[in-house]
Amino acid sequence: MRATRVLSAALLALGLAAGPAAADSSPSPSPTASPDGSAPTQAGTSFRTATEMKQGQPATASGSTGDYLYWSFPADVGQRPTVKATVKLPQAHGAQTWQLDVYDGLRRRQACQYGADPRTAAQDASQVELACVLRTVRGWAEPSANDPLPGTYYVRLTVVDLGATDLGQPVSAEVRVDSKDIGGAGAVDGSLGRPLVPGIAVTSGEKTDGAKTAVLSSFGKNDGWSSGWWSDRWVWTGIGAVLAALAGIGGYALTRGSGRPSRVPPGV
């Protein structure tokens, strides 16, 4: 009877532990646009003037062939961002090659895990589409590594090869960033103290004594940064511990016997 009670309690604990894992494995909703429904309609011309955009929110801009177009977006631990860009070209043009580059908060170019970042548009093509799937954002890495870390990421879109007669022609671009939540499969034993955001002030803050201080980025502390010790690996570790306990209880119940000797000696 005692072994049955212990087994029931262990099974109940296993069910409670598996509940958060199932909830965590469900896809998280994509970030939406700003409350007023507006989306960026212009792009910056450098890292310092990059236009901020949210994940799941399309950003558009108009420019000319030869311009550098910059946007920035936040990416957190466990996310695998996918950057897509569509450039609408003028009606008459020659063959030209466009390139999509993504940089982290330290302005290190991040390699694309999937996708073709440079694409060539044929003569008189109406548009060209580019995509770049980054590696999973990690919570910690060696200083010498080039691993993607949580913080601000920059998108740069420009033409890298075209005829002289096509330089300066008007174009329009649309950029969108979406992320897939990888979860504990991409977790590491460590965390970054602060997300990598621009060191140059984007906005200005004010201390209690009235002195001005630089704010690293408008992507602040309340934007959902989840860098820390928790990941769903802890849930599966707990499930493994419960299964080990169940195996131990079952082995004990099978080997301990009835508690009485099978043969009673004479005269006892």
Side-chain angles (χ1 to χ4, degrees):
M1 180 66 69
R2 180 178 298 177
T4 302
R5 293 177 180 176
V6 174
L7 286 171
S8 300
L11 289 173
L12 178 61
L14 178 61
L16 292 176
D24 187 71
S25 61
S26 60
S28 57
S30 301
T32 58
S34 55
D36 59 357
S38 61
T41 56
Q42 61 182 359
T45 56
S46 66
F47 287 102
R48 296 185 60 179
T49 61
T51 300
E52 294 180 358
M53 59 182 294
K54 297 180 180 180
Q55 292 193 29
Q57 178 187 54
T60 58
S62 298
S64 303
T65 53
D67 291 344
Y68 284 88
L69 305 179
Y70 285 83
W71 295 269
S72 64
F73 67 92
D76 206 354
V77 175
Q79 293 182 343
R80 180 184 292 169
T82 298
V83 183
K84 295 183 178 180
T86 301
V87 183
K88 295 183 179 179
L89 304 172
Q91 293 183 355
H93 63 83
Q96 50 188 256
T97 301
W98 287 76
Q99 183 163 318
L100 178 69
D101 297 310
V102 182
Y103 299 82
D104 64 8
L106 298 179
R107 301 185 185 179
R108 303 176 301 181
R109 185 180 184 276
Q110 294 294 317
C112 299
Q113 188 176 18
Y114 307 106
D117 44 351
R119 293 292 297 271
T120 299
Q123 183 177 1
D124 296 335
S126 60
Q127 65 182 27
V128 58
E129 297 181 354
L130 305 96
C132 177
V133 181
L134 297 177
R135 294 171 294 168
T136 304
V137 178
R138 297 163 53 90
W140 178 86
E142 294 290 343
S144 58
N146 194 35
D147 296 324
L149 295 171
T152 299
Y153 283 77
Y154 297 95
V155 178
R156 185 178 72 181
L157 179 65
T158 188
V159 62
V160 294
D161 185 20
L162 79 166
T165 57
D166 291 331
L167 188 63
Q169 291 193 19
V171 294
S172 61
E174 178 177 323
V175 175
R176 182 185 177 96
V177 180
D178 295 286
S179 285
K180 179 180 180 181
D181 189 5
I182 303 302
V188 295
D189 295 329
S191 62
L192 196 66
R194 293 178 181 273
L196 298 179
V197 294
I200 300 174
V202 176
T203 57
S204 61
E206 186 173 347
K207 294 182 179 180
T208 55
D209 58 0
K212 293 289 184 178
T213 178
V215 178
L216 294 179
S217 173
S218 61
F219 301 125
K221 296 181 180 179
N222 298 325
D223 284 334
W225 298 109
S226 61
S227 304
W229 61 271
W230 171 257
S231 73
D232 56 10
R233 291 196 305 171
W234 288 98
V235 176
W236 297 110
T237 301
I239 293 177
V242 172
L243 292 176
L246 287 174
I249 294 172
Y252 174 75
L254 291 175
T255 57
R256 73 187 185 99
S258 61
R260 298 179 58 187
S262 58
R263 181 177 298 176
V264 180
V268 176

